[in-house]
Amino acid sequence: MTGAPSHDVRLEWPDGRTRSMDIREDETVLEGADRVDVALPFGCRTGACGTCTGRLLEVDESDPADAGRDSGAGAVEAAFAYRRRPRALKDRHRDDGYVLLCIASPRVDCRIAVGSSVHAELVENPWK
């Protein structure tokens, strides 16, 4: 175990399931979920494919430094540190609060919508 600070991250699926877990600042949300046996979709683990995309729902504003934080890109940038540039997300996706869980490490307590349907929100299926 490391001495890295951790944050309460609550994952929420469209079917109503939820799971809260402590995720250390030195691990990504995907790594932390894997550590506690929570399965999340992923593909590349490098921020290139977008399969692991989640949507930030809320940042815990109990910390006065977080009070009044907007949603969207500002909230995502404050809530997570990326290991590398999130290539699979366009600026408009980051502005809408989407985050790549395979390369994002939490910096605050937060709630995240997860599951394959979140990824589907980013890309319209041309075959349907």
Side-chain angles (χ1 to χ4, degrees):
M1 174 166 250
T2 70
S6 64
H7 300 282
D8 181 52
V9 175
R10 181 181 167 110
L11 304 177
E12 299 182 11
W13 284 263
D15 64 4
R17 289 179 296 138
T18 64
R19 178 74 186 260
S20 292
M21 63 193 84
D22 285 328
I23 308 275
R24 299 185 313 259
E25 287 189 358
D26 65 349
E27 63 186 350
T28 66
V29 174
L30 182 64
E31 291 168 341
D34 188 47
R35 178 175 43 80
V36 297
D37 293 325
V38 172
L40 292 176
F42 69 92
C44 67
R45 290 188 181 256
T46 64
C49 74
T51 303
C52 65
T53 302
R55 184 171 23 86
L56 182 63
L57 297 172
E58 181 179 38
V59 171
D60 179 5
E61 296 189 9
S62 61
D63 183 340
D66 297 331
R69 183 170 290 156
D70 65 346
S71 60
V76 170
E77 290 174 13
F80 299 97
Y82 275 120
R83 288 187 174 168
R84 60 183 55 92
R85 190 172 68 83
R87 292 181 297 163
L89 294 179
K90 298 178 185 227
D91 289 343
R92 63 184 162 87
H93 296 144
R94 290 191 297 271
D95 290 347
D96 289 340
Y98 292 98
V99 58
L100 298 178
L101 303 180
C102 73
I103 58 171
S105 301
R107 295 297 180 257
V108 296
D109 296 352
C110 59
R111 294 175 38 232
I112 306 169
V114 295
S116 59
S117 63
V118 176
H119 180 257
E121 294 171 6
L122 297 178
V123 182
E124 186 173 327
N125 182 345
W127 306 110
K128 62 178 181 178

